[in-house]
Amino acid sequence: MPFSLVLLLGLALPQMAPNAPKPDALVLLNEVSQRYADVKSYHIEAIEEEASGNELQHSWQKTMLTAVVASGGRYRYEGRSGYGAAVVVSDGATQWTYHLYDHLYTQHPAPPQYPTSGSIIPHEETSTMTAAEIKGEISGRAHRLKSAALLPDETISVDGKSIECYVARYSDKAFKTRRNDLTENTTLWIEKSRMTVRKSLSQREA
């Protein structure tokens, strides 16, 4: 049974009003998704761990991700995994790509967006592409759901800090369009003060 754990270490967004009433699970997820969709400048750091196996084999991998986006087409995406490590930086006019393990970099005019649709991405940049897609994945999550459940609140530790969180869970049956070949359960820990996802745990079985 494969599972993946994503721990979001930071997101530069303002705090929400304290002591807000506990929301409905789907309303909460929609509010969080919209919050990510609306933000234009942000800094996200994440650690992603993925494991899979059965009684005869087991595999595990860890990926370190950073996404920094500012106005004027400026961005910095970093990713490190067992498959390679890279940094992609743009000042709005020029994009630099650096492969850390090979000590090689390229420079060319900045594309309208990264990754460029239809382009072939070297395996060293797989994790930078994942970093670039973090915000979009979270902002589009709730729109794919028709239901979710709210679990008891929890306090988790993130980068040495205690974070009070709402906890929401949904399964593959909660998707508006469901894949019949996949059984999936996802749990999200959402920081109360900022309404941002701080931890995500998915368990999947084909």
Side-chain angles (χ1 to χ4, degrees):
M1 175 186 294
F3 72 89
S4 62
L5 171 66
V6 178
L7 185 64
L8 299 178
L9 300 181
L11 173 61
L13 288 178
Q15 290 189 339
M16 302 294 287
N19 303 319
K22 194 168 185 176
D24 171 82
L26 196 56
V27 171
L28 172 67
L29 293 178
N30 273 289
E31 182 176 346
V32 171
S33 291
Q34 192 60 50
R35 190 159 169 76
Y36 279 83
D38 291 342
V39 69
K40 304 303 180 184
S41 298
Y42 57 90
H43 180 169
I44 300 175
E45 296 182 18
I47 298 173
E48 182 179 272
E49 296 186 41
E50 185 170 351
S52 63
N54 53 39
E55 67 275 12
L56 297 177
Q57 65 87 28
H58 178 79
S59 65
W60 172 87
Q61 67 178 27
K62 181 177 181 178
T63 305
M64 313 288 287
L65 305 167
T66 300
V68 183
V69 174
S71 60
R74 295 173 293 162
Y75 53 76
R76 180 185 181 94
Y77 300 119
E78 301 180 32
R80 295 175 56 200
S81 73
Y83 297 104
V87 180
V88 178
V89 180
S90 171
D91 63 0
T94 303
Q95 177 180 285
W96 296 267
T97 302
Y98 179 58
H99 294 176
L100 276 70
Y101 299 154
D102 297 328
H103 304 290
L104 298 174
Y105 83 93
T106 58
Q107 174 182 321
H108 50 78
Q113 64 179 15
Y114 177 85
T116 304
S117 178
S119 63
I120 298 176
I121 302 295
H123 64 84
E124 291 89 353
E125 295 174 43
T126 301
S127 54
T128 59
M129 182 174 65
T130 302
E133 294 173 346
I134 291 176
K135 174 180 175 286
E137 194 280 329
I138 298 175
S139 64
R141 186 193 306 270
H143 304 301
R144 304 193 301 268
L145 297 173
K146 60 183 179 181
S147 64
L150 208 59
L151 305 183
D153 297 349
E154 292 184 17
T155 299
I156 64 174
S157 178
V158 177
D159 202 20
K161 299 178 181 179
S162 295
I163 307 293
E164 294 185 7
C165 296
Y166 297 117
V167 184
R169 178 176 294 169
Y170 59 88
S171 70
D172 57 291
K173 298 180 180 64
F175 285 97
K176 296 175 182 177
T177 301
R178 183 184 174 194
R179 287 181 54 184
N180 294 326
D181 61 337
L182 182 68
T183 299
E184 178 177 5
N185 290 284
T186 298
T187 305
L188 302 173
W189 286 260
I190 299 166
E191 182 178 351
K192 291 183 177 181
S193 63
R194 298 183 185 275
M195 294 297 281
T196 57
V197 178
R198 300 310 298 261
K199 181 179 176 182
S200 172
L201 174 65
S202 296
Q203 296 176 296
R204 307 179 186 93
E205 185 173 0

